[in-house]
């Protein structure tokens, strides 16, 4: 069983090219399944039955695992057995009838448009730090990128003329447009602020801290929380909230879910369904068009 899991992990890394974190997640989930099976006296993949897998899932439920966690385990198990079937290790898939529990998708915490504007208005742009902070905040809201992508941006990733940036993370990249407000903030920072952080040294990264070192996610979080406090916003502000707010505000403005998916870098459009309720006009159009509306 351990050998098959190692082969599967190698397949994920070398063929599917999935991220290190994803590989570790699969490996951990399958390791827990293996430990359970061995406790039941089962040491070979061809001895694992649908009944044993259901027993494993039931055991997770009894030990208080959340529906989201159980769903993740089941996804890992299914992917593993699909691999074994494809490699002709097994003739039947014992995980075929496993069903993940329903996971309630909660609408993430978002800021109102006014709250967002209040935060974005806080940086004082008569100094390099204010110019940098303004550019980072405007760009984060304009694009919905992850903070890890923001702090790893290089100067050459920004196309001010056409209003595009290139985000790179875990071997993947995507192009995201940004508007005039973010573009002006970036131009001001690059013209009048960035050199002060570079300390006369060549540096590829776009955003640096006051010591001339790369800006960290934690460092940016402190910057964000400081401006939120100045704006008088009594919410637990996180960089992720900016990302969700960007998506929700775009949906409210009429953007389609597929566009939001591409901008935010989700692999599946289903991940954007939580923003559907912000889209305008759905109820109105339904009432007009449906005979039972």
């Amino acid at each position: 069983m351990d050998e098959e899991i190692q082969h599967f992990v190698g397949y994920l890394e070398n063929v599917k090219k999935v991220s290190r974190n994803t590989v570790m997640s699969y490996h951990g989930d399958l390791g827990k399944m293996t430990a359970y099976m061995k406790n039941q006296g089962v040491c070979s993949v061809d001895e694992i039955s649908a009944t044993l897998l259901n027993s494993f899932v039931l055991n997770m439920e009894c030990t208080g695992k959340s529906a989201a966690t159980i769903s993740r385990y089941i996804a890992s198990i299914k992917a593993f057995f699909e691999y074994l079937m494809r490699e002709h290790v097994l003739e039947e898939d014992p995980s075929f009838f496993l069903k993940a529990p329903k996971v309630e998708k909660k609408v993430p915490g978002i800021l109102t448009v006014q709250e967002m504007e209040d935060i974005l208005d806080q940086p004082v742009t008569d100094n390099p730090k204010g110019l940098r902070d303004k550019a980072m905040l405007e760009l984060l809201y304009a694009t919905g990128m992850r903070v890890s992508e923001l702090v790893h941006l290089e100067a050459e990733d920004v196309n001010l003329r056409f209003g595009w940036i290139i985000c790179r993370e875990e071997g993947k990249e995507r192009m995201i447009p940004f508007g005039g407000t973010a573009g002006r903030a970036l131009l001001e920072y690059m013209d009048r602020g960035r050199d002060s952080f570079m300390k006369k040294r060549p540096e590829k990264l776009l955003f640096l801290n006051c010591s001339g070192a790369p800006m960290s996610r934690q460092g940016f979080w402190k910057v964000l929380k400081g401006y939120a406090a100045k704006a008088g916003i009594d919410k637990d502000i996180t960089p992720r909230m900016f990302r969700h707010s960007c998506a929700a505000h775009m949906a409210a403005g009429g953007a389609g879910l597929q566009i939001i998916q591409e901008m935010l870098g989700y692999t599946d459009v289903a991940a954007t369904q939580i923003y559907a309720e912000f889209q305008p006009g759905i109820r109105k159009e339904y009432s007009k068009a449906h005979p039972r509306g």
Side-chain angles (χ1 to χ4, degrees):
M1 197 180 312
D2 294 327
E3 183 178 349
E4 286 85 1
I5 290 175
Q6 288 301 326
H7 289 162
F8 176 58
V9 167
Y11 166 76
L12 293 175
E13 291 176 329
N14 303 317
V15 179
K16 298 294 286 184
K17 304 292 185 183
V18 303
S19 72
R20 174 177 169 78
N21 286 342
T22 302
V23 171
M24 291 175 64
S25 177
Y26 275 111
H27 203 178
D29 293 347
L30 294 173
K32 294 284 177 55
M33 180 200 72
T34 298
Y36 179 84
M37 294 300 164
K38 287 181 177 178
N39 283 335
Q40 307 303 309
V42 173
C43 297
S44 174
V45 290
D46 56 12
E47 295 179 294
I48 298 175
S49 65
T51 301
L52 279 169
L53 288 177
N54 278 315
S55 175
F56 174 59
V57 171
L58 181 60
N59 178 262
M60 285 193 290
E61 292 175 351
C62 292
T63 55
K65 293 286 192 298
S66 69
T69 297
I70 294 172
S71 294
R72 193 198 70 218
Y73 271 89
I74 290 176
S76 298
I77 290 167
K78 281 182 168 292
F80 176 56
F81 281 104
E82 285 172 9
Y83 165 78
L84 295 180
M85 292 286 291
R86 192 163 52 249
E87 295 297 309
H88 305 292
V89 176
L90 296 177
E91 294 182 0
E92 292 185 8
D93 182 357
S95 72
F96 186 79
F97 291 106
L98 272 185
K99 288 187 177 180
K102 289 186 178 180
V103 180
E104 181 183 354
K105 290 191 174 181
K106 298 179 181 178
V107 177
I110 65 166
L111 296 162
T112 66
V113 173
Q114 186 59 57
E115 287 172 332
M116 185 65 74
E117 289 178 352
D118 289 343
I119 294 175
L120 296 175
D121 286 343
Q122 294 308 309
V124 177
T125 55
D126 61 359
N127 61 81
K129 182 180 182 300
L131 289 168
R132 181 203 65 188
D133 296 349
K134 176 73 169 174
M136 293 186 82
L137 291 170
E138 290 285 0
L139 191 59
L140 192 65
Y141 177 50
T143 63
M145 69 171 72
R146 301 173 180 89
V147 173
S148 56
E149 295 170 330
L150 179 72
V151 298
H152 287 110
L153 276 179
E154 296 184 2
E156 65 178 21
D157 294 332
V158 181
N159 188 321
L160 287 170
R161 180 180 178 187
F162 295 105
W164 289 89
I165 59 166
I166 299 176
C167 278
R168 297 183 177 91
E169 189 171 48
E170 296 181 344
K172 298 178 182 178
E173 68 176 48
R174 68 187 188 283
M175 295 178 64
I176 313 176
F178 57 81
T181 305
R184 287 188 290 274
L186 276 168
L187 180 61
E188 285 287 296
Y189 165 66
M190 296 176 79
D191 278 354
R192 301 193 293 115
R194 186 166 177 263
D195 285 349
S196 298
F197 295 98
M198 293 174 65
K199 311 296 182 184
K200 298 184 179 180
R201 296 180 308 223
E203 176 56 65
K204 290 184 177 181
L205 288 178
L206 180 60
F207 298 114
L208 303 167
N209 64 23
C210 294
S211 300
M215 170 71 77
S216 67
R217 289 180 298 174
Q218 293 82 1
F220 176 74
W221 192 349
K222 289 180 181 178
V223 169
L224 174 57
K225 290 177 80 72
Y227 287 123
K230 280 184 66 177
I233 296 174
D234 187 22
K235 287 183 179 179
D236 184 18
I237 302 291
T238 66
R240 194 169 183 80
M241 193 177 286
F242 259 57
R243 178 170 164 84
H244 290 312
S245 298
C246 167
H249 296 172
M250 284 185 61
L257 297 183
Q258 186 171 358
I259 297 299
I260 295 173
Q261 174 203 355
E262 292 173 2
M263 276 192 61
L264 272 63
Y266 289 127
T267 57
D268 186 354
V269 72
T272 65
Q273 291 298 322
I274 54 176
Y275 305 115
E277 71 174 68
F278 297 100
Q279 291 184 299
I282 293 177
R283 170 56 60 185
K284 181 178 178 182
E285 292 302 314
Y286 176 87
S287 298
K288 286 196 308 182
H290 197 284
R292 301 281 288 182

